Amino acid sequence: GAGVSQSPSNKVTEKGKDVELRCDPISGHTALYWYRQSLGQGLEFLIYFQGNSAPDKSGLPSDRFSAERTGGSVSTLTIQRTQQEDSAVYLCASSLAGTALAKNIQYFGAGTRLSVL
Amino acid sequence: SQKIEQNSEALNIQEGKTATLTCNYTNYSPAYLQWYRQDPGRGPVFLLLIRENEKEKRKERLKVTFDTTLKQSLFHITASQPADSATYLCALGSRRGSTLGRLYFGRGTQLTVWP
């Protein structure tokens, strides 16, 4: 596809359930990022992948959150035992990344709106 | 840790005027700074990038300035239009190897341009 694709676009779940959010980055983009955006708030960084490895996962709020990336492409963000405070829009972005600054432009998906009841 | 502040959560201006948005930061020396636009229900979209050794960048009706002494960036939209109404985010670029490519985002300024 031409852009970053995220699925599902909306997810409603019950407290305590596990959820998986998927991100398909732009083909050829080596870097992939997950952010969380709560209502009226800025983008909260969660994790950054370079290829399949995650050099920076400092933003994951708790051990209930995990993410993986396979084949240097698709990434999945998993939230276990969801809580109401996990309700937010989860955004994924990809970039070429590297030493050339122009490669660090991030391209975002439309996000997954997660609602935990 | 780094702190990024964007001026007033909301800015309302009349069509045709110049909108000026401010991004201030502390405890950080970014290698570059980016501005993004975000519309409701959408992800942010890249607008402009300015490097630490650049003072000003322009693109059509957009202009960005970067003052590393003041630790401030100004984002201008000239001849503003109602279609410019959106939330604008500034983002600081990391210079460190392990986080190269990572951006630190401000909370954004919601701009409304009224006819």
Side-chain angles (χ1 to χ4, degrees), chain B residues 58-115:
Chain B
R58 291 175 184 265
K59 178 183 177 182
E60 298 174 350
R61 294 184 296 111
L62 309 179
K63 184 178 83 171
V64 173
T65 63
F66 193 10
D67 189 324
T68 55
T69 300
L70 292 179
K71 295 186 180 293
Q72 180 182 78
S73 174
L74 298 179
F75 178 79
H76 306 274
I77 306 175
T78 59
S80 59
Q81 305 167 0
D84 295 327
S85 299
T87 296
Y88 291 85
L89 306 167
C90 75
L92 308 184
S94 170
R95 64 171 71 247
R96 299 182 62 184
S98 65
T99 58
L100 189 65
R102 178 176 167 178
L103 295 175
Y104 299 88
F105 282 88
R107 294 177 64 170
T109 296
Q110 184 175 343
L111 173 67
T112 301
V113 181
W114 43 278

Side-chain angles (χ1 to χ4, degrees), chain A residues 33 35 37 40-43 45 48 50 55-56 58 91 95 97-99 101-102 104-110 113, chain B residues 31-32 34 36 38 41-46 49 51-52 89 94 97-108:
Chain A
Y33 313 81
Y35 297 89
Q37 188 172 36
Q41 301 297 310
L43 273 68
F45 169 80
Y48 156 52
Q50 182 62 260
D56 189 350
S58 62
L91 289 161
S95 75
T99 55
L101 295 182
N104 293 332
I105 295 168
Q106 296 189 11
Y107 298 83
F108 285 81
R113 181 175 298 278
Chain B
Y32 57 94
Q34 298 183 12
Y36 287 77
Q38 186 174 24
R42 309 287 292 273
V45 175
F46 169 79
L49 178 154
R51 306 173 189 220
E52 61 180 335
L89 306 167
S94 170
S98 65
T99 58
L100 189 65
R102 178 176 167 178
L103 295 175
Y104 299 88
F105 282 88
R107 294 177 64 170

Side-chain angles (χ1 to χ4, degrees), chain A residues 47-67:
Chain A
I47 189 169
Y48 156 52
F49 286 94
Q50 182 62 260
N52 291 335
S53 63
D56 189 350
K57 54 179 76 172
S58 62
L60 294 177
S62 74
D63 58 7
R64 296 187 296 104
F65 288 73
S66 63

Side-chain angles (χ1 to χ4, degrees), chain B residues 18-39:
Chain B
T18 296
T20 299
L21 286 66
T22 304
C23 177
N24 295 296
Y25 59 91
T26 57
N27 300 329
Y28 203 65
S29 295
Y32 57 94
L33 189 147
Q34 298 183 12
W35 283 88
Y36 287 77
R37 167 182 173 145
Q38 186 174 24
D39 291 283

Side-chain angles (χ1 to χ4, degrees), chain A residues 46-106:
Chain A
L46 297 178
I47 189 169
Y48 156 52
F49 286 94
Q50 182 62 260
N52 291 335
S53 63
D56 189 350
K57 54 179 76 172
S58 62
L60 294 177
S62 74
D63 58 7
R64 296 187 296 104
F65 288 73
S66 63
E68 66 174 11
R69 189 179 185 194
T70 56
S73 181
V74 173
S75 176
T76 302
L77 176 68
T78 301
I79 309 174
Q80 296 179 311
R81 305 181 301 282
T82 53
Q83 303 294 314
Q84 288 184 331
E85 59 263 29
D86 298 335
S87 297
V89 175
Y90 290 81
L91 289 161
C92 173
S94 69
S95 75
L96 287 170
T99 55
L101 295 182
K103 294 183 178 180
N104 293 332
I105 295 168
Q106 296 189 11

